[in-house]
Amino acid sequence: MEMKKRISLELRNRAPEEVTELVLDNCLCVTGEIEGLNDTFKELEFLSMANVKLSSLARLPSLNKLRKLELGDNIISGGLEVLAEKCPNLTYLNLSGNKIKDLSTVEALQNLKNLKSLDLFNCEITNLEDYRESIFELLQQITYLDGFDQEDNEAPDSEEEDDEDEDEDEDETGLLEGYEEEEEEEEEEEDEDEADSELGEGEEEVGLSYLMKEEIQDEEDDDEYVEEGEEEEEEEEGLRGEKRKRDAEDDGEEEDD
């Protein structure tokens, strides 16, 4: 299938500006150049054109948002300077299995300031003496060459990294939600304890007031009882005094007779 027809098929009734990923592997570049791809694909972030018999990048459109570009197993031998002009934000570039032979061809990639990973596997340039050291020295912005860094540590898989990041985000979200729930429960318990404490204090105050009122009432009752007893005793003594007075008067009268 020709590249133009393949692009139309991949669009699936979408507008070019809605497409962020485009895979055109194993289709045919009739002229050896990019066909059917233009500046309307402005949201494109991933483009793969592996094994399409591509020999020139001259007709590559401006793709400012493009991050990853797969160009493996083609017949590209030069003209890499167009990448910095058309795709300035590239972070990953795969040129494995192409016709790149010398360092001067790769030197054009120095202007890709965001480039972190470059793959030249199975290109003739890999046969040069001190190939890896030379590339890392020439392109100091890159971290990985042919899948490994300067200490031979393998590059992490981008999909695995994305999955791990998502899992970590979910775990952090879960922990945060759990922590917030615990805080809310603790606050509710504290509010209940404070309410119970206030109620207890109120009951205690009411109880004390009631007891104090009872004691005061008892003391008043006792005072009234004492006063009534004293009055009765005074009345009795008064009666006895009058009786004695009358008896004395009676005795006096009898003596006069």
Side-chain angles (χ1 to χ4, degrees):
M1 183 182 295
E2 294 182 5
M3 183 171 285
K4 284 184 179 180
K5 293 181 180 179
R6 179 66 176 273
I7 291 174
S8 298
L9 182 63
E10 290 293 327
L11 283 176
R12 299 170 188 170
N13 297 322
R14 294 175 296 173
E17 56 269 18
E18 296 175 349
V19 179
T20 58
E21 296 186 4
L22 191 59
V23 178
L24 305 173
D25 298 347
N26 303 313
C27 63
L28 178 64
C29 288
V30 178
T31 63
E33 295 184 339
I34 297 170
E35 303 163 348
L37 198 63
N38 53 51
D39 293 347
T40 59
F41 289 84
K42 56 185 179 180
E43 297 296 322
L44 205 59
E45 297 178 6
F46 175 81
L47 174 62
S48 185
M49 297 185 291
N51 190 32
V52 296
K53 300 187 181 304
L54 185 64
S55 61
S56 172
L57 297 173
R59 295 181 64 182
L60 182 70
S62 294
L63 304 171
N64 288 329
K65 291 191 176 182
L66 195 67
R67 302 286 183 179
K68 295 184 178 183
L69 179 59
E70 294 272 1
L71 297 173
D73 299 320
N74 284 294
I75 48 178
I76 299 170
S77 59
L80 301 182
E81 60 275 356
V82 72
L83 292 173
E85 179 186 349
K86 302 293 187 178
C87 311
N89 293 307
L90 273 184
T91 60
Y92 173 87
L93 176 61
N94 185 355
L95 290 168
S96 62
N98 277 277
K99 304 297 182 180
I100 299 171
K101 300 179 180 180
D102 49 58
L103 293 173
S104 60
T105 303
V106 178
E107 188 175 1
L109 301 178
Q110 286 180 331
N111 293 323
L112 284 172
K113 302 301 182 182
N114 297 315
L115 189 64
K116 299 301 178 186
S117 181
L118 174 64
D119 196 339
L120 296 171
F121 181 73
N122 207 25
C123 291
E124 290 186 38
I125 192 174
T126 61
N127 297 322
L128 295 177
E129 188 177 355
D130 299 327
Y131 153 70
R132 287 181 59 80
E133 291 80 358
S134 300
I135 295 293
F136 276 118
E137 184 177 352
L138 183 66
L139 305 176
Q140 296 185 8
Q141 77 273 33
I142 69 171
T143 302
Y144 299 101
L145 176 62
D146 302 336
F148 294 87
D149 65 13
Q150 295 187 64
E151 284 75 36
D152 292 329
N153 296 313
E154 189 173 3
D157 183 80
S158 58
E159 292 182 359
E160 289 180 0
E161 278 187 333
D162 292 340
D163 293 340
E164 288 176 1
D165 291 341
E166 289 177 1
D167 293 339
E168 288 177 0
D169 291 341
E170 290 176 359
D171 292 341
E172 289 177 0
T173 302
L175 287 172
L176 182 59
E177 289 177 353
Y179 179 71
E180 289 176 349
E181 289 177 359
E182 289 180 1
E183 279 192 336
E184 289 177 359
E185 291 176 359
E186 289 177 358
E187 288 176 358
E188 289 176 359
E189 291 176 359
E190 288 177 0
D191 292 340
E192 290 176 359
D193 292 341
E194 288 178 1
D196 293 341
S197 176
E198 290 175 358
L199 182 58
E201 289 176 0
E203 290 177 349
E204 186 176 349
E205 289 177 359
V206 172
L208 287 173
S209 300
Y210 180 75
L211 291 173
M212 290 175 71
K213 286 178 181 179
E214 279 194 343
E215 289 178 359
I216 293 170
Q217 187 66 41
D218 291 342
E219 289 177 358
E220 289 176 352
D221 293 343
D222 291 342
D223 292 341
E224 289 176 0
Y225 178 75
V226 170
E227 290 174 358
E228 289 176 359
E230 290 177 352
E231 289 176 357
E232 288 178 357
E233 289 178 358
E234 289 176 355
E235 289 177 359
E236 290 177 356
E237 287 179 359
L239 290 173
R240 285 195 295 271
E242 289 180 0
K243 185 178 181 182
R244 283 195 297 271
K245 184 178 180 182
R246 286 197 298 269
D247 290 343
E249 289 176 352
D250 291 342
D251 290 342
E253 292 177 356
E254 288 178 358
E255 287 177 359
D256 292 340
D257 293 339

